[in-house]
Amino acid sequence: MASIIIFKPPPSLSSSSCYTSSFQMGSSVLPHLPPPLKPSFRIICKAQTTTASAVSRRSAMGVLLSGYIATQYIALDSAHAQQSVGFREYIDFFDGYSLRYPQNWIQVKGAGADIFFRDPFVLDENLSVDISSPSSSRFKSVEDLGPPEEAGKRVLKQYLTEFMSTRLGVRRESNVLSTSSKLADDGRLYYLVEVNIKSYANNNELAVMPQDRVVRLEWDRRYLSVLGVENNRLYELRIQAPENVFQDEENDLRQVMDSFRVNKITA
């Protein structure tokens, strides 16, 4: 919560009124704070003063400043106590799927996927949905991909193909961390795939001497996929996060995974 304190000095020492007020910052200024932490409030205090018991302007300002600092401390402490940023629901009636995503993420147009959301501060943390072409696929069930383990290999292969690089000295390390299936509350079967990919590169790929080509870690990311079938099409929810970010936000990201549903198109 952010507030501005306004102090109106008394026109004379015989009588005075002091006002403190605060207003709510718009979400465009503080988009990362959840709504409960941004209430607006207003406090009005009145005091009569005399020449024998007049409070100096400096003392009054000191009291108001102390109250402002205490308010900011409480708001900051409450922000750290939040376990989740909250979620918004996205429903695509035209293509037939729905999901929930963190409410502070933003939608990015033209990202090459059917839908794409990302964290506005951690650009490598994002989600997207890919759908197979209706003219070239005739899926009846996610089991058409084989068991979850085979689906996991397929997902990893697709990722590595997309991340293929023509740069010299680039090396990828990848592992399928887990594969599983679940029967969701909509009665449909879904596959869950989790992989890790690390990218290494030489700091100077054109160096002649081997000792001048030092290999360094470029990035280390976790990829979560949920696969479902409906309308004869394969739907894939993809979530990407740097490993260090994933450790802190795993609970939220798994809630996004659990929310993914494919729906029958009735139109």
Side-chain angles (χ1 to χ4, degrees):
M1 175 177 65
S3 59
I4 293 178
I5 304 298
I6 303 173
F7 177 79
K8 183 178 180 181
S12 66
L13 293 178
S14 58
S15 63
S16 66
S17 297
C18 63
Y19 298 87
T20 64
S21 63
S22 66
F23 65 92
Q24 180 179 356
M25 289 289 188
S27 60
S28 60
V29 179
L30 296 175
H32 59 286
L33 291 184
L37 298 181
K38 298 188 290 184
S40 59
F41 68 92
R42 191 176 186 183
I43 300 175
I44 302 176
C45 61
K46 295 183 178 181
Q48 299 296 326
T49 61
T50 64
T51 55
S53 60
V55 180
S56 68
R57 182 180 303 178
R58 178 177 301 177
S59 299
M61 290 299 291
V63 172
L64 294 177
L65 181 60
S66 298
Y68 171 77
I69 293 175
T71 300
Q72 298 303 306
Y73 176 80
I74 293 172
L76 182 61
D77 184 65
S78 300
H80 283 297
Q82 291 291 317
Q83 297 299 315
S84 171
V85 296
F87 298 89
R88 297 181 189 274
E89 186 173 27
Y90 179 84
I91 304 176
D92 190 326
F93 293 100
F94 181 78
D95 289 308
Y97 66 90
S98 63
L99 58 88
R100 292 189 303 151
Y101 65 95
Q103 66 177 359
N104 62 335
W105 286 22
I106 60 175
Q107 184 176 351
V108 178
K109 301 289 188 179
D114 192 74
I115 193 68
F116 189 96
F117 293 100
R118 68 169 174 81
D119 188 295
F121 303 106
V122 184
L123 302 186
D124 286 340
E125 186 180 20
N126 52 62
L127 69 83
S128 62
V129 174
D130 290 334
I131 312 174
S132 64
S133 170
S135 61
S136 60
S137 61
R138 288 291 182 270
F139 289 95
K140 298 301 181 183
S141 167
V142 71
E143 293 176 299
D144 291 346
L145 300 173
E149 296 77 14
E150 290 300 319
K153 294 177 183 178
R154 171 177 174 155
V155 169
L156 179 57
K157 181 179 180 181
Q158 181 63 32
Y159 277 129
L160 293 177
T161 300
E162 295 174 4
F163 298 147
M164 191 175 297
S165 175
T166 58
R167 290 183 298 146
L168 298 175
V170 174
R171 176 171 56 87
R172 308 276 197 244
E173 286 186 2
S174 60
N175 291 287
V176 177
L177 301 179
S178 68
T179 59
S180 61
S181 62
K182 73 168 184 177
L183 188 63
D185 53 10
D186 60 357
R188 295 180 178 87
L189 185 67
Y190 294 84
Y191 282 176
L192 287 70
V193 177
E194 191 169 332
V195 304
N196 169 263
I197 302 178
K198 296 180 177 65
S199 178
Y200 296 88
N202 295 330
N203 64 336
N204 186 3
E205 63 270 17
L206 299 179
V208 176
M209 303 302 294
Q211 62 269 24
D212 295 329
R213 297 192 297 270
V214 180
V215 177
R216 59 182 176 84
L217 177 66
E218 287 188 306
W219 46 262
D220 182 7
R221 299 173 186 161
R222 182 76 61 102
Y223 295 91
L224 310 171
S225 290
V226 182
L227 304 169
V229 168
E230 186 54 88
N231 307 305
N232 296 325
R233 306 173 72 182
L234 176 65
Y235 296 74
E236 181 182 3
L237 167 67
R238 293 178 160 198
I239 303 174
Q240 168 185 292
E243 277 291 345
N244 59 335
V245 175
F246 176 78
Q247 302 304 322
D248 295 331
E249 302 185 9
E250 179 178 358
N251 181 61
D252 285 344
L253 297 180
R254 294 201 184 281
Q255 288 189 59
V256 175
M257 292 180 70
D258 291 340
S259 72
F260 185 63
R261 296 290 183 272
V262 294
N263 307 306
K264 187 71 174 178
I265 300 175
T266 57

